[in-house]
Amino acid sequence: MLAQNNRKQEAKTEELAREFAIDVAAGLSGKKKFLPFRYFYDRAGSELFEQICLQQEYYPTWTECTILAECSQRVAELLMNDDEDISVIELGSGSSTKTRILLKQIMARSNKVVYFPVDISHAILQKTAASLTSELGIDVIAVPADYSEGVRQATKIIKDDGSSILQKRKLALFLGSSIGNFEPGEAASFLSMTREWMEEGDMLLVGFDLHKDKRVLDAAYNDKKGITARFNLNLLERINNELEGQFDLGKFAHAAFYNEQLRRIEMHIVSKEDQDVYIGGTIGRSFHFEKGETIHTENSYKYDMRQIKDIARASGFTLKELFMDGKKWFCLALFSPS
Ligand code: AVI
């Protein structure tokens, strides 16, 4: 059984490595170079992201924490009756730091809470599950997978649970404004997909970062300690490590700015000079970079109220309640299936 699981894991790792190589070759071959943002999150990238969340300039994390501290009780009241049991599924849970605030409120009202953190980083999941179990005494079923596969697995575990140990009523969480990293159309499809496995009485809490002064936004993605820059350039490091790339990180720079017209932060990696970079392994070719040419690595869309209402409707949800901070920088939207 163990050997079989190991073989499955190895096959999965090989498949992911193949996909990574295909995406890198395709992304660097076109006229406008780009790399999919999901490749930021190898072990080093996930740790750097955790550090970004601690930076003062990166307001989304601390603002969302403030809102959660204020709204968690209300969310728990809207979601459940006293003593009702509940399954909480969090997509892209990371270290689940913010989630603890909400979990504590739900636990205070419930006999039993089972928490399903879904994340692509195995390492972070293991750490998180251990610390949550010892700190809160909560049952944790960690799901190492991407969002859609993770949701599929978690719902299957809940549905197949003949002994009814797992709770049928579900709260899904998609915090931290991760929805903003999807293109607008993709965001609606993703929420519709989430809607499909939800039933009456279930709820979804989504974090949306809001449109605001460009200076605040630019600062959040250009922190003084340069952690966001390291997070961005780590993509090249990952290509070097996993695909036998020969990027010289000193010859590239981080760039992030708010595109006011498209209402999104754009992150790019800029080539500081004309250069050719060889990537070995299955790719086995060089890529040319002009001085000033960029690799577009991420978009982070900022929303307004109208867009949040529209996206709820388009994906089959009713907007139950909106929770915001005093400056209206960030908001948590509670959706129920329509
Ligand atoms: C994960 N995601 C919501 C972050 C964001 O703000 O778009 C990723 C990030 N990129 C740079 N800093 C943070």
Side-chain angles (χ1 to χ4, degrees):
M1 184 69 176
L2 196 63
Q4 201 185 4
N5 279 347
N6 282 346
R7 267 198 305 278
K8 260 195 195 160
Q9 190 55 47
E10 274 167 26
K12 182 90 195 146
T13 311
E14 274 170 28
E15 189 192 318
L16 289 176
R18 251 193 320 272
E19 262 175 41
F20 184 33
I22 291 169
D23 287 344
V24 167
L28 299 184
S29 298
K31 216 166 158 21
K32 286 198 167 169
K33 295 184 170 62
F34 72 94
L35 290 171
F37 71 87
R38 66 174 181 281
Y39 293 119
F40 278 136
Y41 302 95
D42 64 348
R43 181 189 278 260
S46 300
E47 280 169 12
L48 284 165
F49 180 63
E50 292 295 315
Q51 282 188 52
I52 289 177
C53 293
L54 300 175
Q55 303 311 302
Q56 182 60 26
E57 298 99 322
Y58 193 70
Y59 64 85
T61 309
W62 53 262
T63 309
E64 192 178 35
C65 281
T66 313
I67 304 171
L68 272 171
E70 281 167 12
C71 78
S72 287
Q73 199 178 342
R74 176 84 182 129
V75 171
E77 277 166 20
L78 288 167
L79 174 71
M80 60 204 272
N81 302 313
D82 276 343
D83 293 338
E84 196 178 348
D85 298 339
I86 206 105
S87 290
V88 178
I89 303 173
E90 179 168 15
L91 306 173
S93 50
S95 61
S96 309
T97 315
K98 291 169 286 194
T99 324
R100 285 160 214 244
I101 306 170
L102 182 58
L103 288 174
K104 280 185 194 160
Q105 279 298 338
I106 294 175
M107 288 174 83
R109 285 180 78 90
S110 157
N111 287 324
K112 185 171 176 71
V113 184
V114 182
Y115 175 55
F116 294 80
V118 175
D119 205 285
I120 32 177
S121 168
H122 284 244
I124 288 203
L125 266 181
Q126 274 169 352
K127 231 165 82 182
T128 303
S131 79
L132 275 173
T133 311
S134 69
E135 207 183 293
L136 302 183
I138 191 172
D139 288 309
V140 181
I141 301 181
V143 186
D146 63 20
Y147 301 140
S148 11
E149 174 57 19
V151 161
R152 202 191 58 72
Q153 283 184 28
T155 351
K156 188 168 180 330
I157 297 172
I158 295 169
K159 281 212 171 113
D160 292 355
D161 172 45
S163 57
S164 293
I165 291 171
L166 301 173
Q167 315 317 320
K168 306 297 180 204
R169 194 197 287 270
K170 302 183 285 298
L171 171 66
L173 304 173
F174 196 41
L175 303 178
S177 78
S178 297
I179 192 83
N181 295 130
F182 291 120
E183 292 303 304
E186 287 173 11
S189 320
F190 175 74
L191 292 182
S192 303
M193 186 272 292
T194 310
R195 166 70 187 84
E196 271 168 35
W197 55 263
M198 291 176 71
E199 284 146 304
E200 209 189 315
D202 292 348
M203 286 194 185
L204 167 68
L205 189 66
V206 190
F208 288 93
D209 194 9
L210 302 176
H211 169 69
K212 62 182 68 61
D213 190 312
K214 178 172 165 58
R215 284 167 301 185
V216 178
L217 284 158
D218 284 346
Y221 292 81
N222 291 283
D223 63 279
K224 285 199 203 80
K225 285 196 189 147
I227 316 271
T228 311
R230 281 171 55 203
F231 171 73
N232 197 10
L233 291 169
N234 180 60
L235 254 178
L236 302 186
E237 186 83 54
R238 182 170 182 184
I239 297 173
N240 286 352
N241 293 338
E242 295 180 22
L243 302 177
E244 298 175 43
Q246 294 180 6
F247 282 99
D248 176 347
L249 268 61
K251 293 183 177 172
F252 289 88
H254 161 76
F257 56 88
Y258 189 49
N259 180 332
E260 287 192 280
Q261 224 178 1
L262 298 175
R263 292 201 167 187
R264 68 185 194 195
I265 284 281
E266 290 186 16
M267 285 220 310
H268 295 259
I269 294 174
V270 191
S271 176
K272 290 186 188 169
E273 55 188 66
D274 287 352
Q275 55 182 314
D276 290 296
V277 179
Y278 182 73
I279 304 180
T282 53
I283 295 183
R285 55 165 284 210
S286 291
F287 296 87
H288 181 70
F289 295 86
E290 303 276 321
K291 181 178 180 183
E293 187 179 358
T294 81
I295 309 171
H296 191 160
T297 51
E298 187 182 56
N299 288 322
S300 190
Y301 284 87
K302 308 306 168 190
Y303 280 76
D304 61 30
M305 293 306 136
R306 188 187 49 77
Q307 290 171 311
I308 295 172
K309 285 179 191 151
D310 287 350
I311 202 170
R313 205 174 318 113
S315 46
F317 286 103
T318 303
L319 178 60
K320 273 281 223 202
E321 210 152 314
L322 269 178
F323 307 98
M324 249 188 289
D325 60 299
K327 290 182 180 153
K328 299 197 167 88
W329 277 5
F330 198 93
C331 113
L332 282 168
L334 189 64
F335 292 165
S336 61
S338 334

